[in-house]
Structures are given as structure tokens and as C-alpha cells.
Amino acid sequence: MLRPLRLLLSGLKTQPSRCCSSFVSRMRYVNRLKEDDEACAAALKDGSIFLFHRLSPLLRRPDARTFSPAAFTCSDVQLVLQRLGSDGSQLKEAVLIGCSEQNQAQFCLDVGELDQAAVEEASQGTFIDLRKAFFLLPAAEAPLVSKGQALLRWHQTSRFCGASGQPTQRNRAGSQRFCSSSSTVYYPKMSAVAVALVSDGSRCLLGRQPSFPRGLYSALAGFCDMGETLEEALCREVAEEVGLEIQSISYSSSQHWPFPHSSFMLGCHALVSPTHTQLSVDNSELEDARWFTMDEITRALQVKAPPRRGDPPIIWLPPKHALANRLIREWVEQQRQSEGGE
Ligand SMILES: NC(=O)c1ccc[n+]([C@@H]2O[C@H](COP(=O)([O-])OP(=O)(O)OC[C@H]3O[C@@H](n4cnc5c(N)ncnc54)[C@H](O)[C@@H]3O)[C@@H](O)[C@H]2O)c1
Ligand SMILES: [Mg+2]
């Protein structure tokens, strides 16, 4: 069947270009969708949509051991919405999250106004609180869902302009909001957090907040203050929380962390002098902080699940999805290498 020329052109416009590597073309495609409302609306029709209910993602269980975020086509979502008596105009609220390796634009949509159980039944999935869902999902899929939730949360809490008090309007992709009264453009925000695995050369330092589950210890972390560099934030946080002075810092990697809101975690390794390791813990911030030997860390890394009520006390570490876990594993690797080199 012949398609009208306008549709053909818009079809071309909504596909990633084939002139560059697939990564480059996908990134440019997503960038174009953020800037071009029409292209974004067309991409939604061919895209995949991840559903949320009051910020909890919809997951499916392909088998008894696996959870995965449920991706729907636009027409699937329209059918679900219609079945539940909605006119489908809600689809305009979908927010662009990215583009799959199969070149399909990915969106998220919060259907919080609809009955949760009814959507679950119609879509054959379950809405699960992100604090649980994040750790049930494979590490490769959790970031997409947490990015979707972070964007949806930002829209829900940015409806009004802080300067004029007037309602803000979003672009089609949901990558910005605009106040026509004060001419202010708002972009999604993340708070920068510095996280450091502090070592004295042979041991590493972990702490716990009173709110942590029993036995959980993690790397020291803190929100960056306005105007601070990453290095300054790390030195200040370590000084504040445990009373030590950092001698050197090496950057490891970063992570988007959705809890409690959107944080941009910057992970580093930090060294203190082995002659200045006496801790002075600020108990208003930390319940405890301790030095751990390689043996203790190796044992803690082997703990597969948090202890249950009544289990003997045990030290366990943040799960694999957390940057702190990565820093701890990197430290173990560095220690093994330096032991092997001696
Ligand atoms: N992904 C990981 O591996 C990992 C590891 C450690 C910590 N974290 C996260 O890092 C975050 C910060 O760690 P922390 O709690 O030790 O920080 P922190 O030591 O700075 O203490 C938190 C306090 O800082 C204040 N604060 C200052 N700026 C803030 C902001 N922008 N948002 C919220 N509170 C702010 C608040 O009073 C808050 O209670 C936490 O949300 C934690 O979940 C993640
Ligand atoms: Mg802290």
C-alpha cells in the first residue's frame, strides 16, 4: 500500500540515521527527539513504553527467578487505557527515557490515576516499589527503570515555576519544562553525591547509618555542597563523619542513584596515612564506622542475602547494583594485585 509522502518523511525523521555508528546515531536520535516535539510524538507511536503507578514500575516474571520491566507498544497501552475507561490522552504524558539497541525510542508513563489492580490485571504485570524492584531487576535493566522513575518524579514535583508561581509546561519528550510568565527553562535535576572507599593501605573503612538494615556497612558518602569540587566534598565528608584527613584520591566511576531522590554518585578510592587511622565517628551522622581487613571483606562479600530476623549478627555489604559494592570489589582486586606483586 502506498503511504502518503508526509508520513514517509515523518517515518524517516523518527528513525535513527544510518550514516554513523549505531551508538552515535542512537544518541543523535534521542537528542533530536528532545528538541523536536513532532518527531517525538511520532516516535512514541513506534516506541516502547514502561508503565509506572505512582512511581512504582510495572514488572513481569518471564520465569520464577527473573523479573523484567514490562515494555509495551503504544497501541498496547492505548488498549489497556481504553479498557479501563480512559480516552488515551494520557499518552501525551509519556516521558522519553532513551533508545534501545534495536533503535526503538523508549518512554515511561505513570498511570497513577487508574486503579492499580485493574492495570495489573489488564497488563499482566505487577507494580513493585522501586526500592524493591531496583534490586530484583538484572543490573543491566535497573538503571533504565530508575531513570524513568526519576524523570516522572521530577515532572510531578516541578509543575510550578519557583520564580512566578505559575504552572510550567513540558516539551513533548519531557526533557524540560518552561514557564512562559518568567521565561525560565527548567531541566531535570540530580544532587551530586561523593562516595569514597577509604583505605589505609591494608584495611578499608566502612560505616553505617542508624537507618540501615541490621549488619549492613557501606562506603562513606555525602552530598556535595554548592560550589565544592568532588575532591573537596570527599575530604570534607570524611573529616566530618570519621575525623580523618584524606591524603590522595583516585576516581573510579559514577552512577545514577534513585534513593531517596535522584542522586549522581561519584565514586572514588581514597587513601589515609596508615599512621593516622584513629576514628572519631560523628554519631549524629553515623551509628558506627570501622576498619575492615581483607579477610572480613572477603567473608562479607560472600553473604548472598540480608540476615533474617532471629539470624545471628552478620556483616553484609551493599548489593551489586550499588556503586559502593563496585568500589569494595575494586579495592579487593587492588589488594590481591599488590599482595601478588610483593
Ligand atoms: N549507590 C551507592 O553505592 C551509595 C553508597 C552510599 C550512599 N549512597 C546514597 O548517597 C546519598 C548520600 O549519602 P549520605 O546520606 O551519607 O549523605 P550525607 O552524609 O550528606 O548526609 C545526608 C544529609 O545531608 C543533608 N543534605 C545536604 N544536601 C542534601 C541533598 N541535596 N539532598 C538530601 N539531603 C541533603 C541532609 O540533612 C541529609 O540528611 C544517600 O541518598 C545514599 O542512599 C549511595
Ligand atoms: Mg554520609
Side-chain angles (χ1 to χ4, degrees):
M1 192 179 89
L2 283 177
R3 295 167 74 197
L5 184 60
R6 201 174 60 83
L7 270 183
L8 274 176
L9 285 175
S10 77
L12 278 177
K13 239 169 112 187
T14 61
Q15 289 300 310
S17 122
R18 307 235 174 263
C19 68
C20 332
S21 81
S22 81
F23 175 76
V24 171
S25 61
R26 274 189 287 128
M27 295 307 109
R28 289 185 174 170
Y29 174 57
V30 170
N31 200 33
R32 196 168 72 241
L33 299 188
K34 287 181 187 171
E35 284 161 12
D36 184 336
D37 285 355
E38 217 179 294
C40 190
L44 177 65
K45 292 198 178 119
D46 300 326
S48 52
I49 304 178
F50 297 90
L51 292 183
F52 288 72
H53 191 275
R54 301 196 180 154
L55 300 177
S56 292
L58 186 81
L59 303 192
R60 277 191 180 146
R61 285 190 97 156
D63 57 67
R65 289 167 141 227
T66 325
F67 285 86
S68 82
F72 295 89
T73 63
C74 187
S75 46
D76 283 344
V77 173
Q78 234 153 359
L79 276 179
V80 170
L81 294 179
Q82 278 162 8
R83 210 184 293 171
L84 299 176
S86 162
D87 62 1
S89 60
Q90 256 172 306
L91 270 167
K92 283 194 184 140
E93 304 290 317
V95 174
L96 179 70
I97 332 179
C99 176
S100 72
E101 285 184 10
Q102 292 71 40
N103 294 331
Q104 206 177 23
Q106 296 163 309
F107 294 83
C108 54
L109 176 69
D110 199 307
V111 291
E113 319 83 74
L114 301 178
D115 180 66
Q116 180 176 335
V119 183
E120 287 177 339
E121 200 192 327
S123 57
Q124 295 176 343
T126 311
F127 291 107
I128 299 182
D129 187 277
L130 190 71
R131 283 204 172 263
K132 200 168 163 208
F134 190 74
F135 300 104
L136 291 172
L137 288 169
E141 289 180 328
L144 186 75
V145 171
S146 76
K147 180 177 176 182
Q149 194 225 39
L151 284 166
L152 291 169
R153 182 197 296 280
W154 178 73
H155 281 285
Q156 290 176 11
T157 55
S158 309
R159 294 190 196 280
F160 294 91
C161 172
S164 69
Q166 296 300 310
T168 54
Q169 272 79 42
R170 49 167 280 182
N171 65 343
R172 195 63 205 253
S175 58
Q176 54 177 258
R177 298 187 74 92
F178 181 67
C179 171
S180 48
S181 176
S182 67
S183 299
T184 312
V185 184
Y186 291 94
Y187 295 97
K189 276 205 196 91
M190 302 187 282
S191 300
V193 175
V195 49
L197 189 66
V198 178
S199 169
D200 68 352
S202 61
R203 300 173 299 168
C204 75
L205 179 63
L206 302 177
R208 53 172 278 111
Q209 295 182 2
S211 59
F212 282 11
R214 196 164 57 102
L216 174 67
Y217 278 75
S218 185
L220 302 187
F223 289 96
C224 296
D225 279 348
M226 187 64 85
E228 257 180 349
T229 63
L230 167 62
E231 295 81 354
E232 286 165 346
L234 281 178
C235 291
R236 176 184 53 74
E237 278 295 332
V238 172
E240 276 175 16
E241 295 191 351
V242 293
L244 293 180
E245 279 193 45
I246 288 176
Q247 284 191 321
S248 67
I249 292 172
S250 61
Y251 173 75
S252 161
S253 43
S254 63
Q255 168 183 55
H256 170 247
W257 190 243
F259 313 115
H261 302 300
S262 235
S263 294
F264 179 45
M265 312 286 311
L266 295 146
C268 293
H269 292 274
L271 262 182
V272 295
S273 161
T275 55
H276 291 88
T277 57
Q278 179 71 39
L279 302 179
S280 145
V281 178
D282 177 353
N283 290 117
S284 65
E285 300 218 21
L286 293 179
E287 183 183 271
D288 187 28
R290 295 188 211 166
W291 288 105
F292 288 84
T293 63
M294 204 24 200
D295 281 352
E296 288 171 315
I297 293 293
T298 311
R299 264 199 305 281
L301 281 172
Q302 281 158 5
V303 177
K304 293 281 174 273
R308 293 178 186 197
R309 201 183 287 245
D311 283 355
I314 190 169
I315 303 283
W316 56 291
L317 303 173
K320 278 198 178 142
H321 297 54
L323 185 51
N325 180 288
R326 180 181 185 146
L327 293 174
I328 294 166
R329 287 177 189 277
E330 284 174 353
W331 179 79
V332 168
E333 195 48 42
Q334 282 162 16
Q335 293 300 110
R336 286 200 181 125
Q337 279 173 11
S338 60
E339 277 167 18
E342 272 169 12

